[in-house]
Amino acid sequence: MKPLPGFRDFLPDDCAFRNAIFATWREVCRRYGFVEWDGPVLEPTELYQKKSGPEIVGQLFNFTDKGGREVALRPELTPTLARVVAANERGFRKPLKWFSIPQCFRYEKQQRGRLREHFQLNCDLIGDDSLGTDVELVALLIDLLRGFGFIADDFVVRLSDRTFWTDLFTAENVPNERWTELLQVIDKSEREPREKTAAQLGDLAKPVFEVLAGGGRSEKLEQLVEQLSQRDLARFVKIDLSIVRGLAYYTGVVFEAFDRKGELRAIAGGGRYDKLIAQLSDNAVSLPAVGFAMGDVVLGELIKNVPAAFEKLAERVTRQSSLDLYVVIAKEERRGEAMRQLQQLRDAGWRVDYASAVTKVGKQFQTAESLGAKATLLYGDEWPQLKLKTLATRGETLVPHEKIAAYLQARAGELRGA
Ligand code: HAM
């Protein structure tokens, strides 16, 4: 039996890798004053049918539940966020700076960088429509990637603005009803043959291709870059009006992060969505918002491709998962004492393991090494002293058993750093 196509098993090493990604995400988000929240995995299908746009609706994992409700596993978090904020915003000071790490589900064709489930860091800033908030979000996206050890040679955030395109449509007298469809065509233009895009654009092909060839200018985006340069972050971004994003609800600045070599799918994407909360509010709440999401799949691939990032994450994995102590029982008559001590050490916060079955001493030391324990604590001939051995240095000390907790406590930094 295998997992379903596009679904992953997370064996302990995979889980450790994933958790180290989550830990980096959380750390950087907190540096920016973001707080964590979450919503339900299952939502009414209607929430996405109305708000996410045709592309994502075609990828829903949806079914009728036993109560006859049409429901879907969340393909993204933004509609849930808009619903939750519309219903609860009164209890919070604005702007809200919220992040979340949902698992999302999309019935996509499985390919490199695209699965049927993925984890997604979502960061959203709600209740402020100034350009400064777009700058703050793009800066956060850059710093999240820098938090993994990536540099400007590794990734780029491509910045665009949907209002640039809607202004162009207005100038060309395109009726409002066609805007969404045209934005989708422009969004796909990079991946489609030029003739196909030209046919879909009709009369608009000429002005659109001119812009896509670099002929457009956006003052708003230039200001955004200028403000990023005040933070010395401009080298991580590029204005690129070909980005319009597939989701229906964006209303202004949009952006996507890519690996610099352009080998992988988007690492992250987002933008401003000033109307979505009002559309999902039962009581006329209207709040501007800007946000983005970064998936774990493409990010994981890029980490594996960039040695500095991989080493940084591996260090975090080791820090998160390594064992402090392994209790080695050489004299079975001391097992009771050893268990009492082990319990006290665990109560004090030490990560301690041992062999629950009677095991040869050599084997116990081998297990300690393979688990990456920092030190072993031997219950042997030295009793009532214990032999503490630091595995990295092979240094040994005898410590009276009743003093071991205090002894370890006094040397916690040294031992854990070893
Ligand atoms: P999105 O561009 O659909 O945006 O997804 C964001 C990121 O999630 C992508 O850049 C990609 O890394 C990852 N991702 C999406 N689908 C898959 C998949 N099938 N397999 C693996 N990774 C995937 C949104 O979801 C918006 N709701 C983001 C947002 C938040 N906008 C405002 N706030």
Side-chain angles (χ1 to χ4, degrees):
M1 291 284 279
K2 286 194 191 139
L4 288 166
F7 284 78
R8 295 170 287 180
D9 292 327
F10 288 91
L11 296 173
D13 282 351
D14 309 315
C15 234
F17 187 82
R18 184 180 96 186
N19 287 341
I21 288 179
F22 290 4
T24 307
W25 280 346
R26 289 195 167 100
E27 193 179 288
V28 181
C29 285
R30 288 180 186 135
R31 262 195 248 154
Y32 272 68
F34 279 65
V35 293
E36 190 162 357
W37 76 285
D38 202 357
V41 155
L42 206 61
E43 288 274 23
T45 307
E46 193 191 18
L47 183 69
Y48 308 108
Q49 281 167 336
K50 275 193 185 155
K51 300 303 159 212
S52 297
E55 186 168 330
I56 230 172
V57 169
Q59 297 167 342
L60 284 179
F61 266 93
N62 58 317
F63 55 95
T64 312
D65 77 4
K66 289 179 181 162
R69 297 174 203 88
E70 292 302 322
V71 293
L73 286 170
R74 59 186 172 196
E76 57 155 341
L77 192 65
T78 314
T80 301
L81 173 68
R83 175 180 66 67
V84 170
V85 168
N88 298 284
E89 56 88 28
R90 279 217 203 126
F92 298 94
R93 203 163 10 94
K94 273 26 126 236
L96 309 180
K97 293 173 120 184
W98 284 13
F99 80 93
S100 188
I101 308 182
Q103 190 173 21
C104 295
F105 304 86
R106 297 184 188 181
Y107 200 92
E108 291 205 44
K109 190 160 162 266
Q110 191 187 338
Q111 51 189 299
R112 192 170 174 208
R114 285 288 176 274
L115 301 175
R116 289 185 176 170
E117 55 73 23
H118 68 284
F119 288 89
Q120 229 194 28
L121 168 70
N122 277 251
C123 301
D124 292 270
L125 209 157
I126 295 143
D128 185 342
D129 64 0
S130 66
L131 188 66
T133 51
D134 301 62
V135 177
E136 176 79 345
L137 259 279
V138 175
L140 171 56
L141 171 55
I142 294 168
D143 278 341
L144 280 160
L145 292 169
R146 289 174 68 221
F148 286 98
F150 296 124
I151 57 172
D153 286 344
D154 298 320
F155 73 93
V156 60
V157 180
R158 292 157 73 182
L159 305 172
S160 181
D161 182 9
R162 272 205 182 170
T163 56
F164 173 90
W165 289 107
T166 50
D167 287 351
L168 185 142
F169 298 158
T170 309
E172 299 283 334
N173 296 319
V174 179
N176 217 310
E177 308 79 70
R178 283 200 66 208
W179 290 8
T180 307
E181 162 219 328
L182 288 169
L183 288 171
Q184 299 267 338
V185 174
I186 298 169
D187 177 50
K188 293 206 172 66
S189 64
E190 212 177 27
R191 285 164 271 147
E192 298 284 0
R194 194 182 162 93
E195 309 74 61
K196 184 171 172 195
T197 306
Q200 287 167 327
L201 290 171
D203 291 347
L204 274 186
K206 191 164 172 283
V208 168
F209 280 132
E210 262 170 34
V211 174
L212 292 178
R217 253 200 76 196
S218 157
E219 212 173 293
K220 196 200 289 177
L221 294 176
E222 283 167 13
Q223 279 175 25
L224 206 161
V225 175
E226 172 57 31
Q227 291 190 36
L228 285 168
S229 72
Q230 292 164 357
R231 306 186 189 201
D232 196 22
L233 296 176
R235 65 188 186 283
F236 297 99
V237 302
K238 183 174 171 250
I239 295 178
D240 180 346
L241 290 163
S242 71
I243 302 288
V244 296
R245 311 265 302 127
L247 294 157
Y249 45 68
Y250 294 113
T251 54
V253 167
V254 282
F255 47 91
E256 280 184 336
F258 287 91
D259 64 300
R260 208 39 107 159
K261 289 186 188 149
E263 289 171 352
L264 310 173
R265 302 287 297 257
I267 310 165
R272 181 162 279 289
Y273 51 102
D274 286 345
K275 303 211 173 105
L276 187 63
I277 294 173
Q279 286 165 357
L280 290 173
S281 174
D282 295 331
N283 41 7
V285 172
S286 174
L287 287 167
V290 56
F292 66 83
M294 178 185 300
D296 67 329
V297 181
V298 181
L299 176 69
E301 284 185 31
L302 191 60
I303 291 171
K304 285 175 184 157
N305 286 353
V306 176
F310 187 75
E311 273 161 37
K312 192 165 179 183
L313 202 80
E315 237 170 66
R316 194 185 265 276
V317 167
T318 310
R319 239 184 299 139
Q320 278 175 185
S321 56
S322 66
L323 205 57
D324 295 319
L325 292 165
Y326 194 88
V327 168
V328 176
I329 303 168
K331 298 276 174 215
E332 271 309 310
E333 62 271 30
R334 296 284 161 236
R335 185 170 284 272
E337 282 292 344
M339 290 303 101
R340 191 180 56 79
Q341 195 78 67
L342 172 133
Q343 184 64 38
Q344 282 174 4
L345 290 172
R346 284 178 174 169
D347 283 350
W350 293 95
R351 298 172 181 179
V352 195
D353 207 354
Y354 74 108
S356 47
V358 178
T359 309
K360 288 199 176 120
V361 175
K363 186 88 191 299
Q364 292 183 59
F365 276 107
Q366 267 175 17
T367 309
E369 296 271 3
S370 68
L371 292 175
K374 300 285 183 201
T376 51
L377 201 55
L378 176 70
Y379 286 74
D381 291 335
E382 299 79 6
W383 181 264
Q385 309 227 73
L386 303 179
K387 195 189 272 181
L388 180 71
K389 180 172 175 184
T390 309
L391 293 181
T393 60
R394 306 274 141 189
E396 293 181 349
T397 336
L398 289 178
V399 184
H401 78 100
E402 74 283 2
K403 298 220 167 101
I404 191 69
Y407 184 92
L408 289 169
Q409 196 55 43
R411 286 161 186 78
E414 195 186 313
L415 187 70
R416 289 192 167 129

